[in-house]
Structures are given as C-alpha cells and as structure tokens.
Amino acid sequence: MSTDQVIIAGGGIGGLGAALMLARKGVRVTVLERAPEFAEVGAGLQLAPNITRMLDEVGVLEKILPLSVQPKRLVFMNAVTGEKLTHLDLLDARERYGAPYIVLHRSDLLDALRDAAEAEPNVVLRTNHEVTEVEDAGEHVVVRCANGSELTGQLLVGADGLHSVVRREIVEDEPVPSGYVAYRGAVPVEDVDRRMDMDDVVVWMGPGLHLVQYPVRAGKLYNQVAVFRSQEFLEGKEDWGTPEELDRTYSGMCEAVRVAIPSLGRIKRWPMADREPLDTWTKGRVTLLGDAAHAMLQYLAQGAGQSLLDGSAISTALSGLGEGEWVSDDVDRALAAYESERVAAAGHVQSTARVWGDIWHVDSHVPMILRDEAFRRRDVYDYHLVDWLYGPVRDGADDAPPAGPAGDHVPAEPTSAAPAHA
Ligand code: FAD
C-alpha cells in the first residue's frame, strides 16, 4: 500500500484548496493534475463573505488580499436602457457578515493555494497525471493515469471539474448544456473603454444576455464576462456562440455595454453547462468535490467558493481518522458527515443559480418591466435574499441599519424582490 491517505484527482481551485486544508488537519494527500502545470484561465473571480470568512481561517485571505479589490457596490443595470436599477452595498455587507466581498484574478487565488499546499510536508503535487481509471478495492482505491502510473490510496476525491472522470464512479450522467456561451478575460485597465466606476462590480442585464465588469489585480486589470443565449445553439448549429454572434447579440445594447465588447478575447469561448444536483457524491472509497460534484451556472458567483467550502468540510470530517490504515466504518461515517454538511447546501446553490439566470435574462416585455420595477423598489440595505448564502449575520448587525446615500435608501416594500450577485 502506498503512503497516500487521500488522492485528489484535479488540481484546480477545489483540488488544491482541499489538499491544503486536509494537510493542515494532518492528512497525507497527493494531487494528480492532468495539465503540465497548475494554471487557471486568464479571468476574474468573485468571492463573497461566506468564502472569504473561511479563507481567513486557513490563512489564505491575507495572501490574496493585496492582489484583490474590495469593491464598494454590486450594481445592477439594464443593458438596453443603461438605467441603474439597484445595488448591494458591499462595504456594509462586510460589516454584516464579518468578512469582505472581494474580486481577484483566478491565477492569484490558484497560486496562493498552490504555494500554501506546496509548503505542507503532507502534500505531494503531481502534474501531467491524467486520471483515466479508478478501481475501488474495498479497503483502498487504485487510480491509474494516462502516463502509465498507478497509485493506491485510502480515499479518492474527484476534483476534476465539470467533465469529471471520477464522477462516473458515482453516477452516469452528463453536463446539462444551457445554450449560453461566455466570452471573458482580464486585460490592462487602460485597454478597456470603461464607463463604470472602478469601485463597483457591475452587472448589465439584457434579453438573453448579461455582461459583468470589475477590476482585479489591485486595480491593474479589468475583468469582463459577456454571456448570451445562442440562437445558433437553438438552431442546432455545430459551431455556435461564434464571435460574430457575440457582436450581433450585443449590437442592440446601450453604448456603455457596446463599447465593452471589442476588448473581450475572441480566441476562446466557454459554452455554459451545469449538472443536476445529486443526493450523494460518494460510493465506497470514492467521493467528489467542486464542479465534479455540483457544477453550477455562474450567476451567483459561487462555484469556486463552494468548492473551497467542500475542502473545508471534508478536511474536518476526515481529521479524526488518524495516521494509520482507515477502517471502512470510520471512512463511511466521516464521508456521511461531509455529505450532510455539503450535499444539500451546494445543491441549493446550484438550483438557485438557475433561477437567477432566468431573472437576469428575461426577454419578454412584461416580465422585464416587472423585474426592473422590483429591482428599483428594493431597499439597498435589504439582505433577505443573500443572508442564507453570505451568512451567518453578525450579532447586532440588524440593530442599526446604515443610512444610504441620498435617494438610495428607500423603505423595504412587502413586494420587494432583490437581486443576488454576479
Ligand atoms: P476546475 O476549475 O474545472 O478544475 C478541475 C481541474 O482538474 C483542472 O485543473 C483540470 O485540468 C483537472 N482535471 C480534469 N480532469 C482530470 C483528470 N482526469 N485527471 C487529472 N486532472 C484532471 N466561481 C466563483 O466562485 N466566483 C465567480 O465569480 C465565478 N465566476 C465564473 C464565471 C464563469 C464565466 C464561469 C464559467 C465560472 C465561474 N465560476 C465562479 C465557477 C468556477 O470557475 C468553478 O466553479 C471552479 O473553477 C470549479 O473549480 P474545480 O476545482 O472544482 O474545477
């Protein structure tokens, strides 16, 4: 038997975060990454207080804060008319939830996780190791890679993303295509025709589309994500969501949105898909985390964050199993504890993300009027739609609601419906 206790397939944010947190709890971990290096796409990431609170506990927040931006507001705009509809006060949210809302470059987070994991004596990181085969042998699990190597561990964690190979051990299903495609990228801030404040995360909502903008890397880069429903996909075209369709789709939007589109990279595009929520992520000595377990549409900006919460939960669950060989009953109990902490919670985020996409992308006249009116009428300090996600709320946070800027702080209406996040 190898010395591995846990083998993690996939060295993305989820896999590296879990490796770090497991090692800190005394568990020996090997991470197998198929790519030649640990790397992320050149785009940004939002991390809400429910995630930064946990990153603070493991000492990663202090490493990424100098490269991050703490935006003041999450602003929702109508992409057709250019009207500002509402915003969430992110500095007030920091007080409410006791942790900041940050935006940063994905590489800056991945590098911080990799550096911290590498510094742990219990962690082995291997690149060029693509997991192709898994054999659950009862008391241990055997993992085979495309390069011919074979590893044995006491538990395999599949953190291998949307198209997970390990997930096939648990369930036979496929990613659910949404028919939407994303173009994204972070470029030097001076290369963007930027019409919005650098202090804000901005979400432009239009019929069947949205655009998200925010600064990253301490304000040096500007991140933009344009997402739209592809007519070419609906028509069954093989090559859908093309750059030409991107330009056509955004040509009817307001000027501030139109001028953003040329600075988006066109070489790569991301067809958007998620997975159906599962009741279990575990079978025997194999379990899942991150997108492999609960790939979600990005409208709540939570996928990477939820994968880090998985890492935290599984590290706590396995921490009591000790140094030696793990007994199956103990492993079962630990994984049951991991699942009870995470499966339903992540599934709820998955399902809610779909609903938020539908609200952002409404494309008929009356629903659009109703959405915009609900957004306009909400109190910008009304958190009832995000407390469940960003919480817990700090004691006393509700006692003295802050006064908003003139004109923004209107009393909550019983009918108010608030947006969540980008
Ligand atoms: P991945 O990032 O997919 O990593 C999987 C890793 O496994 C990769 O390194 C891959 O090379 C490796 N791998 C794959 N197969 C194998 C194999 N067989 N063997 C070995 N290695 C393998 N989330 C947020 O929290 N905030 C946001 O603001 C946000 N915005 C988003 C915007 C867009 C447009 C999109 C598409 C997603 C967004 N997300 C966001 C979601 C987030 O990107 C994902 O949820 C997150 O990257 C998942 O991390 P992961 O480690 O589980 O999977």
Side-chain angles (χ1 to χ4, degrees), residues 9-15 32-35 39-40 44-47 106 129-132 159-163 165 182 184 214 225 227 270 272 289-292 296 298 301-307 422:
I13 290 168
L32 305 177
E33 166 58 46
R34 72 176 168 193
E40 261 291 347
L45 203 59
Q46 304 177 56
L47 295 177
R106 284 166 175 266
H129 277 65
E130 178 179 0
V131 173
T132 50
D160 49 344
L162 174 66
H163 300 283
V165 169
R184 57 179 165 168
Y214 54 84
V225 189
V227 177
W270 286 266
M272 315 297 330
L289 65 73
D291 276 9
M296 55 186 69
Q298 77 276 21
Q302 282 279 325
Q306 292 290 316
S307 78

Side-chain angles (χ1 to χ4, degrees), residues 183 228 232 239 241-249 266 269:
Y183 284 78
F228 64 95
E232 294 171 345
D239 186 24
T242 56
E244 295 72 32
E245 190 178 16
L246 167 76
D247 290 333
R248 266 200 316 278
T249 307
R266 271 116 204 281
R269 56 185 188 254

Side-chain angles (χ1 to χ4, degrees), residues 161-239:
L162 174 66
H163 300 283
S164 170
V165 169
V166 180
R167 184 176 169 112
R168 288 189 214 137
E169 298 297 306
I170 316 294
V171 60
E172 278 181 32
D173 68 351
E174 293 295 330
V176 181
S178 69
Y180 280 72
V181 64
Y183 284 78
R184 57 179 165 168
V187 295
V189 73
E190 54 277 8
D191 293 354
V192 183
D193 188 350
R194 181 179 55 79
R195 305 293 168 93
M196 300 302 285
D197 203 311
M198 279 290 276
D199 287 331
D200 293 337
V201 175
V202 185
V203 181
W204 299 88
M205 301 177 296
L209 63 82
H210 75 265
L211 170 75
V212 179
Q213 301 175 302
Y214 54 84
V216 294
R217 191 142 311 147
K220 292 193 178 68
L221 303 178
Y222 201 59
N223 183 67
Q224 302 189 103
V225 189
V227 177
F228 64 95
R229 185 173 52 231
S230 167
Q231 194 55 36
E232 294 171 345
F233 173 84
L234 294 175
E235 288 163 8
K237 290 196 178 151
E238 209 163 297
D239 186 24

